[in-house]
Amino acid sequence: MKLLLIEDEPMLLDEMEAYLIEQGYRCEKATTFAAGEDKIVLYDYDVIILDISLPGGNGLQLLQLLKKQQKEAGVLIVSAKDSLPDKLTGLNLGADDYMTKPFHLEELNARVNALVRRKSFKGNSQIQVDDLTIDPVAKTVSCNETFIPLTKKEFELLLYFIVNKNRVVSKQSIAEHLWGDHYDIVDNFDTVYVHTMNLRKKIVAHTGIDYIKTVYGMGYKFTSA
Amino acid sequence: MKLLLIEDEPMLLDEMEAYLIEQGYRCEKATTFAAGEDKIVLYDYDVIILDISLPGGNGLQLLQLLKKQQKEAGVLIVSAKDSLPDKLTGLNLGADDYMTKPFHLEELNARVNALVRRKSFKGNSQIQVDDLTIDPVAKTVSCNETFIPLTKKEFELLLYFIVNKNRVVSKQSIAEHLWGDHYDIVDNFDTVYVHTMNLRKKIVAHTGIDYIKTVYGMGYKFTSA
DNA sequence: GACGATTTTAAAGAAAATTTAAATTTTTGT
DNA sequence: ACAAAAATTTAAATTTTCTTTAAAATCGTC
């Protein structure tokens, strides 16, 4: 599950991120209107947590933009004051929930969970890629009824590959997504290599297909029809 | 089967409704004491899910009203905290089951199912999982006529596993479900380990089957065909 | 308040996953 | 075809997570 946090107070943003990562979510951050705009246009998220007052513009405009782009992310609006007009405008523009600052991180988590759950009602929670069935909630991967046992890191890696299906992902970005933003670039990518290869072998052993192609000098690409 | 949901949090109410409709129930909703009162007096339901804290009054009063009206609906009480006095008062007033927030929709469904079954078969409120028979109301578990003596925590844990059958549940979510929202993340999961192992051993001793598999690094999974 | 039962804490040992490291193979540019 | 860079493969070292056991603390009941 990938979240986007748009919030201009750096302290609060970091706290939110830390807590949500603990809960098993993957998070990206934006602190300005412009940065939020970029991320919304370029990428897809499951849930977007959106502060209304932002440097450079109003969060509600971002919400409009999102809806115009037909993006399916659930939106949780956060605002400093419990202003009824704002609230109504937000919900009318298609936000899914509304929250007033200050709030407890537990409440944030509960609301994000609720959004994720609600989203997964429509459309099955399982991801189907050719022969493979991935269930992010059950944390299982299966191929024709038989389960492929994966370790935690392997599962996260597979999910990242599938989210970026048919796109080349660099080892750097894999490292950042699996080990966090602060992964040292100077570090070697040995563990990325090893995990990727282990995952690859398990999938080949079960499906007979090597979905993960290496793109020499660039990274890897998970391919499917 | 017609249900009445009396609950003042709109988000939660909508989620409950969506889920129960998915499960084949017809639902009506009330968000205030007054609205609940009207519905209870005017119509008949098979099961009423009743939040205790309501704007405009206490849910237990509604329960009294219901009983005074000689209505036959099964009543499942929902309350924010696991307050024993509330619980006892509720059950003494004729409620059939009691549930503490937060809960999983699957558990809600399981309990409603149990209530419905008990209503229609008079005294059969059991969940069957392979060899195991779980009675959420009587708080008993049996395997081929013989009871498996479980402690309270073990029983709650088993119910949580069964509600999430064939899905991995993290130790974090177990902790939150058994000890409440404010379970400290920094805390260790020693007691989760111990209770899980004890439950496991008891079930294996009685059934010969280890339903609970450990999913290394992720949590546990209760498996059944 | 004392007793038995349950729950929690703690700590050592086992099991599994992750990381590191090094040797080997493959790919690419010249 | 060769050298350099990048990727694969293996296995060992390390770390994390889980299991087990037992003692301490808490809870409920009489």
Side-chain angles (χ1 to χ4, degrees):
Chain A
M1 284 294 156
K2 205 163 81 175
L3 316 185
L4 174 60
L5 282 51
I6 308 180
E7 164 63 58
D8 64 318
E9 293 172 42
M11 285 267 293
L12 175 59
L13 185 59
D14 287 346
E15 277 177 45
M16 286 161 63
E17 184 195 23
Y19 193 84
L20 291 168
I21 286 176
E22 284 263 350
Q23 307 301 315
Y25 291 108
R26 220 151 298 142
C27 296
E28 297 194 3
K29 301 180 286 187
T31 54
T32 63
F33 185 90
E37 196 175 9
D38 285 350
K39 295 240 172 196
I40 283 179
V41 173
L42 289 173
Y43 308 110
D44 286 313
Y45 301 92
D46 297 290
V47 172
I48 297 176
I49 298 163
L50 180 62
D51 189 6
I52 286 199
S53 68
L54 287 171
N58 188 302
L60 294 177
Q61 292 172 253
L62 285 183
L63 180 56
Q64 282 182 296
L65 175 69
L66 183 82
K67 292 297 163 185
K68 208 189 286 177
Q69 298 253 326
Q70 307 276 356
K71 301 269 186 171
E72 293 204 340
V75 178
L76 170 55
I77 284 182
V78 169
S79 127
K81 53 189 184 308
D82 194 6
S83 140
L84 191 62
D86 271 0
K87 195 167 183 163
L88 290 178
T89 315
L91 295 176
N92 282 337
L93 286 176
D96 299 278
D97 200 3
Y98 194 100
M99 220 176 158
T100 308
K101 286 192 208 175
F103 50 80
H104 286 267
L105 293 175
E106 291 91 347
E107 184 180 354
L108 175 68
N109 179 235
R111 288 183 189 258
V112 171
N113 285 342
L115 259 183
V116 168
R117 238 179 306 161
R118 203 152 53 139
K119 252 175 67 79
S120 60
F121 279 129
K122 41 190 173 188
N124 46 0
S125 68
Q126 294 182 342
I127 303 167
Q128 187 75 42
V129 181
D130 295 6
D131 273 0
L132 291 173
T133 307
I134 298 94
D135 190 326
V137 179
K139 310 244 190 232
T140 56
V141 180
S142 55
C143 170
N144 305 323
E145 315 288 294
T146 62
F147 287 97
I148 306 176
L150 298 184
T151 70
K152 197 173 151 195
K153 275 263 141 62
E154 286 162 3
F155 185 81
E156 286 173 14
L157 183 58
L158 175 59
L159 209 52
Y160 186 60
F161 275 131
I162 283 175
V163 165
N164 294 293
K165 185 169 65 172
N166 292 321
R167 261 182 280 173
V168 176
V169 290
S170 69
K171 286 180 294 301
Q172 180 63 43
S173 70
I174 291 174
E176 277 170 10
H177 269 258
L178 265 72
W179 287 273
D181 266 346
H182 306 300
Y183 197 89
D184 197 347
I185 300 165
V186 185
D187 268 18
N188 55 27
F189 294 116
D190 286 351
T191 89
V192 176
Y193 284 131
V194 172
H195 284 299
T196 306
M197 290 305 133
N198 289 341
L199 173 62
R200 228 168 145 167
K201 261 185 264 177
K202 283 191 187 176
I203 294 179
V204 172
H206 281 80
T207 67
I209 301 164
D210 195 356
Y211 288 96
I212 300 164
K213 311 286 181 212
T214 99
V215 184
Y216 199 93
M218 308 251 172
Y220 296 95
K221 181 158 87 169
F222 188 98
T223 54
S224 91
Chain B
M1 283 295 159
K2 205 163 79 173
L3 315 185
L4 173 59
L5 281 49
I6 308 180
E7 164 63 56
D8 64 318
E9 291 174 43
M11 283 266 298
L12 175 60
L13 185 59
D14 287 347
E15 277 177 48
M16 285 162 62
E17 184 194 25
Y19 193 84
L20 290 167
I21 286 176
E22 285 253 346
Q23 307 301 316
Y25 291 107
R26 286 193 295 150
C27 296
E28 296 192 6
K29 301 181 285 186
T31 54
T32 63
F33 185 90
E37 196 175 10
D38 287 350
K39 296 243 171 192
I40 283 178
V41 173
L42 290 173
Y43 309 108
D44 285 315
Y45 301 92
D46 296 290
V47 172
I48 297 175
I49 297 162
L50 180 62
D51 189 7
I52 287 199
S53 69
L54 287 171
N58 188 302
L60 294 177
Q61 293 171 253
L62 286 183
L63 179 57
Q64 282 183 295
L65 175 68
L66 183 84
K67 292 298 164 183
K68 207 189 286 174
Q69 298 254 326
Q70 306 276 353
K71 302 268 185 171
E72 293 206 338
V75 177
L76 169 56
I77 284 182
V78 168
S79 127
K81 52 189 183 310
D82 194 7
S83 141
L84 192 62
D86 273 1
K87 195 166 184 165
L88 290 178
T89 315
L91 296 175
N92 283 337
L93 286 174
D96 299 278
D97 200 2
Y98 194 100
M99 218 177 160
T100 309
K101 285 191 207 173
F103 50 80
H104 281 256
L105 294 173
E106 292 89 347
E107 184 179 355
L108 175 68
N109 181 236
R111 288 184 189 257
V112 170
N113 286 342
L115 258 182
V116 166
R117 244 173 306 177
R118 195 159 61 147
K119 281 281 154 195
S120 42
F121 295 102
K122 292 274 179 232
N124 179 6
S125 65
Q126 296 162 344
I127 302 168
Q128 188 74 41
V129 181
D130 294 6
D131 274 0
L132 292 172
T133 308
I134 298 94
D135 189 324
V137 179
K139 311 258 185 217
T140 56
V141 180
S142 55
C143 171
N144 305 323
E145 315 290 295
T146 62
F147 285 97
I148 305 175
L150 296 184
T151 69
K152 194 174 142 209
K153 275 265 139 61
E154 285 162 4
F155 185 83
E156 285 175 21
L157 184 57
L158 175 60
L159 202 54
Y160 188 59
F161 275 132
I162 283 176
V163 161
N164 292 293
K165 186 169 65 172
N166 292 322
R167 258 183 279 178
V168 174
V169 290
S170 69
K171 286 180 294 304
Q172 180 64 44
S173 70
I174 292 173
E176 277 170 10
H177 194 263
L178 264 72
W179 288 274
D181 251 351
H182 303 300
Y183 198 89
D184 196 347
I185 298 160
V186 185
D187 267 20
N188 52 29
F189 294 115
D190 286 351
T191 89
V192 176
Y193 284 132
V194 173
H195 284 299
T196 306
M197 289 304 134
N198 289 340
L199 172 62
R200 228 168 146 167
K201 262 185 264 175
K202 283 191 187 177
I203 294 178
V204 171
H206 282 79
T207 67
I209 301 164
D210 195 355
Y211 287 96
I212 299 165
K213 311 284 182 215
T214 101
V215 184
Y216 205 96
M218 304 206 193
Y220 296 95
K221 181 158 87 169
F222 187 98
T223 54
S224 91

